[in-house]
Amino acid sequence: MPRYSNLTQLTRVNGHMIPAKSTHYAMGAKHGVYFKWRGQWNFTAVSNFYMRVPGDAPQSVVEKSIGDNKIEVLK
């Protein structure tokens, strides 16, 4: 599981730290946060660690994993 670089600026979203340059985020149905960073969907549930969402269609994986939560756009 990769770790954020010390040079990566982070921002807090619902108690989880994600890169400040993320464009989208969504709360997981049970835990963690999904976020889109550098054009790829990622997931974090543990401070300073993240993992890429696998598969050929990561958008659909995220949509299935967030339950009734919505994908929010970050500005």
Side-chain angles (χ1 to χ4, degrees), residues 1-69:
M1 204 169 3
R3 202 179 176 127
Y4 298 121
S5 164
N6 290 340
L7 302 176
T8 304
Q9 292 182 343
L10 302 175
T11 187
R12 187 173 301 277
V13 173
N14 294 332
H16 296 277
M17 299 300 285
I18 65 171
K21 292 188 177 184
S22 298
T23 58
H24 298 77
Y25 81 95
M27 296 301 298
K30 295 185 181 180
H31 56 277
V33 173
Y34 292 88
F35 61 95
K36 194 167 190 178
W37 177 47
R38 296 181 179 167
Q40 299 240 342
W41 278 102
N42 302 279
F43 174 78
T44 185
V46 179
S47 294
N48 293 327
F49 291 95
Y50 68 95
M51 59 187 272
R52 286 205 172 112
V53 176
D56 294 332
Q59 178 81 24
S60 65
V61 172
V62 171
E63 289 170 356
K64 290 177 186 174
S65 302
I66 62 175
D68 293 335
N69 298 327

